[in-house]
Amino acid sequence: MNSSNNNNNNDDIPYLHRVVLEAGGMSDDLNVDGSSNDVAEDGNVSDWSIGSSSEEEDVIVDHLLIDYDSEEDSISLHLEKPIIDDSFHELSDESKQLLTWRLDKDESFSDWTIEVHYDWELNLEFMMGEQNKKGREMKTYHVHRNILATGPKKSGYFEALLKSGQFSESSNSTSVVELPMGIAHDFDDFLDYLYSSPSECKRLINRYNRRALLHLAKYFLVPRLLEDVYDFIKKDIQDIGYVKEYLIEFGNVEDDEAKEIITLAASVCAANILHIKPIEYVNDGHPLAHCNNNNESSLLAVLSPAIFLHIITEARESKDFTNLSADNEGHICRLAIGYFKFHHSSLNSNYFVAVVGELYLPFRDIFMAGTLARSLLEIMNATGWEKDVHRDTKQYLMTALSKYISMEYNTADGIFKLTQFLSKRVVSDLFTEALNAKKELEYRLNESGDYSVSD
């Protein structure tokens, strides 16, 4: 392999602290103690934590290897690919033979050099007693102009560079490239893609390198790679477990491919709506009780209002939606309740009406329907949306709750607890409806002569 890294040999280090950090989403001010949640250059939050490392201990998280000599008070850093991310092994033996950039430069008759430079800055206080440590690394690749600038996977960047001959790089046949550290980590895979057989190159794209390859495809103007990465994402996003990651990554991107990915993510959520976990909240007696801390990682926490409404609407339009059990109808209502509580400060009454209009309260289970209706009415009151909510929406919710009250509650104390967070107007309407429902029941009993049902 002809790529070289300018790190020192660590064979003679007597005391070695070795830590491996996630390089894929790092920003320039990453803290090893986990004290910051950093926003990487692609706009994603890198949330991670690494504790103190004792001497001669390996803490393996992922890709970035830091060696610290405690006697010399110095460190060296280099990138290592975990075995699970070694996409090279996905290629056939014939295709591997095409990866001539991996050979010695003289053996492969290399006629161009790429120097990839990347900076790093880490908080290494737990190892060295220093607040920050900075470094600059460089990796050299001996490549071939005909691969870079011609063929179906050619780079528009290198094609323009090599055809013009007017750039400074032409004088020494060397391109110097500055990349974020996490992107530099996967530059090997980028070259493998360019060199490999067109029929196999897609095999090199995986969950571990697809973000870096997308960045490099845009940076070096490789349309074929860009298309292949997007194809991979559109397949990968079919797994509901990966949807949140893609929503964060592409939620604020305005190009057509990003919009297609977001739309696809919403459809995947709609199809898997029964597998989405509701946002949990602390029941401390207030309708907008604060949510549990772990909800920040919930899929619902990152869904925009427009996407959440799209998910509910698309799910309802499914032919299976009308055949849901009471428990599943209740699950979807609980998704909406948790979403309202978590995002209420950015929502309004019109949105509340739109979402509630897509819900089915599980009237086959009056207890469940009444409990859910009560939560929605409480949210409506606590947020101040009630005055702007259409009468039909309120009536729908009050019907469910009034049936619950008429069947389950016969004591003043019980009714007070049930209605204490509702508005006076709603409480008044509820009791009017509950009394009317009771009168109707008594009338039916009198007409039928069946008095076996107790009041």
Side-chain angles (χ1 to χ4, degrees):
M1 181 169 169
N2 74 350
S3 61
S4 59
N5 198 307
N6 63 338
N7 295 295
N8 297 326
N9 190 312
N10 297 306
D11 294 341
D12 299 327
I13 295 177
Y15 296 103
L16 180 65
H17 289 272
R18 179 160 286 182
V19 176
V20 185
L21 304 180
E22 169 62 52
M26 283 189 174
S27 66
D28 290 337
D29 55 349
L30 202 56
N31 292 336
V32 174
D33 60 7
S35 61
S36 70
N37 288 340
D38 299 310
V39 180
E41 294 198 9
D42 56 10
N44 293 316
V45 176
S46 176
D47 187 5
W48 55 278
S49 176
I50 296 178
S52 298
S53 173
S54 61
E55 292 179 356
E56 299 185 24
E57 177 181 81
D58 287 359
V59 182
I60 298 179
V61 178
D62 219 346
H63 307 149
L64 174 62
L65 189 63
I66 305 172
D67 291 339
Y68 170 52
D69 181 350
S70 56
E71 289 193 352
E72 298 294 331
D73 194 28
S74 64
I75 69 170
S76 62
L77 175 150
H78 56 93
L79 297 171
E80 273 197 356
K81 293 178 72 65
I83 295 175
I84 194 171
D85 187 20
D86 196 349
S87 54
F88 171 79
H89 294 297
E90 296 294 329
L91 299 176
S92 66
D93 291 339
E94 291 78 11
S95 199
K96 289 176 184 178
Q97 293 177 12
L98 299 175
L99 309 184
T100 52
W101 73 267
R102 291 178 173 265
L103 301 175
D104 180 85
K105 63 178 180 178
D106 295 326
E107 183 182 355
S108 70
F109 301 101
S110 169
D111 55 7
W112 197 264
T113 300
I114 300 176
E115 292 182 0
V116 176
H117 295 255
Y118 52 92
D119 295 323
W120 55 270
E121 179 178 349
L122 301 171
N123 181 327
L124 299 174
E125 186 172 3
F126 77 88
M127 283 200 279
M128 304 177 64
E130 297 183 18
Q131 186 62 30
N132 291 295
K133 196 74 177 178
K134 298 181 180 181
R136 183 170 179 79
E137 302 295 320
M138 185 265 290
K139 194 170 182 180
T140 302
Y141 298 88
H142 299 289
V143 293
H144 305 81
R145 290 183 294 181
N146 68 310
I147 299 295
L148 300 178
T150 64
K153 294 179 290 177
K154 67 181 179 182
S155 159
Y157 172 92
F158 285 109
E159 181 184 26
L161 171 67
L162 297 172
K163 280 185 176 180
S164 71
Q166 297 178 359
F167 295 95
S168 58
E169 290 96 324
S170 300
S171 61
N172 59 0
S173 298
T174 299
S175 295
V176 178
V177 180
E178 299 278 349
L179 293 174
M181 182 169 55
I183 305 300
H185 162 263
D186 287 311
F187 197 81
D188 292 32
D189 291 347
F190 173 68
L191 291 181
D192 281 349
Y193 178 90
L194 295 182
Y195 277 73
S196 62
S197 166
S199 62
E200 295 188 26
C201 57
K202 281 189 175 184
R203 299 182 187 178
L204 295 164
I205 303 170
N206 56 50
R207 300 213 72 254
Y208 303 95
N209 65 18
R210 57 97 189 156
R211 184 176 292 148
L213 291 179
L214 182 63
H215 178 102
L216 293 168
K218 293 178 178 179
Y219 186 94
F220 290 107
L221 306 177
V222 186
R224 173 72 179 271
L225 176 57
L226 191 65
E227 179 182 342
D228 286 347
V229 173
Y230 279 132
D231 285 345
F232 171 84
I233 290 172
K234 291 169 188 176
K235 293 177 182 177
D236 196 45
I237 205 173
Q238 298 298 325
D239 187 325
I240 187 68
Y242 300 145
V243 166
K244 179 190 171 188
E245 173 186 333
Y246 289 114
L247 286 172
I248 293 174
E249 183 174 350
F250 293 99
N252 296 318
V253 181
E254 294 298 327
D255 62 47
D256 291 339
E257 287 288 351
K259 292 177 181 177
E260 184 179 350
I261 289 169
I262 294 301
T263 301
L264 185 58
S267 296
V268 172
C269 289
N272 294 274
I273 194 168
L274 299 179
H275 300 289
I276 298 176
K277 294 180 65 174
I279 289 180
E280 299 175 1
Y281 46 89
V282 178
N283 186 14
D284 63 357
H286 190 275
L288 298 178
H290 64 281
C291 298
N292 292 337
N293 293 334
N294 62 347
N295 286 312
E296 294 292 343
S297 62
S298 168
L299 173 59
L300 292 182
V302 303
L303 292 176
S304 70
I307 293 176
F308 181 72
L309 178 58
H310 178 86
I311 291 168
I312 297 294
T313 302
E314 186 172 328
R316 180 170 180 172
E317 292 174 352
S318 168
K319 64 179 188 297
D320 298 325
F321 197 86
T322 55
N323 299 321
L324 292 177
S325 66
D327 286 341
N328 288 336
E329 288 177 345
H331 172 81
I332 296 173
C333 290
R334 281 188 286 273
L335 293 181
I337 290 169
Y339 191 85
F340 289 142
K341 289 191 174 190
F342 192 87
H343 296 280
H344 67 87
S345 61
S346 60
L347 305 178
N348 57 36
S349 59
N350 291 331
Y351 185 82
F352 178 84
V353 171
V355 172
V356 173
E358 300 295 336
L359 301 177
Y360 284 139
L361 289 173
F363 281 98
R364 287 165 289 180
D365 185 330
I366 292 300
F367 174 82
M368 185 186 299
T371 302
L372 295 169
R374 170 194 173 192
S375 295
L376 290 166
L377 287 166
E378 288 177 344
I379 292 171
M380 189 175 68
N381 181 46
T383 55
W385 297 338
E386 183 179 332
K387 64 182 186 299
D388 298 316
V389 171
H390 194 272
R391 173 70 184 177
D392 290 346
T393 300
K394 286 189 281 189
Q395 185 63 45
Y396 176 61
L397 299 176
M398 287 190 296
T399 298
L401 186 53
S402 65
K403 290 182 177 181
Y404 175 43
I405 291 174
S406 63
M407 294 182 65
E408 299 290 338
Y409 281 86
N410 295 313
T411 66
D413 185 57
I415 292 174
F416 171 76
K417 290 181 179 179
L418 185 70
T419 61
Q420 62 178 319
F421 293 114
L422 303 180
S423 69
K424 293 179 180 179
R425 179 58 185 270
V426 167
V427 172
S428 175
D429 290 344
L430 274 174
F431 280 106
T432 299
E433 187 162 332
L435 287 172
N436 290 336
K438 186 171 184 178
K439 289 178 180 178
E440 183 179 349
L441 175 61
E442 291 174 345
Y443 176 78
R444 290 202 307 269
L445 292 175
N446 288 331
E447 286 291 308
S448 65
D450 182 3
Y451 298 98
S452 62
V453 180
S454 171
D455 291 346

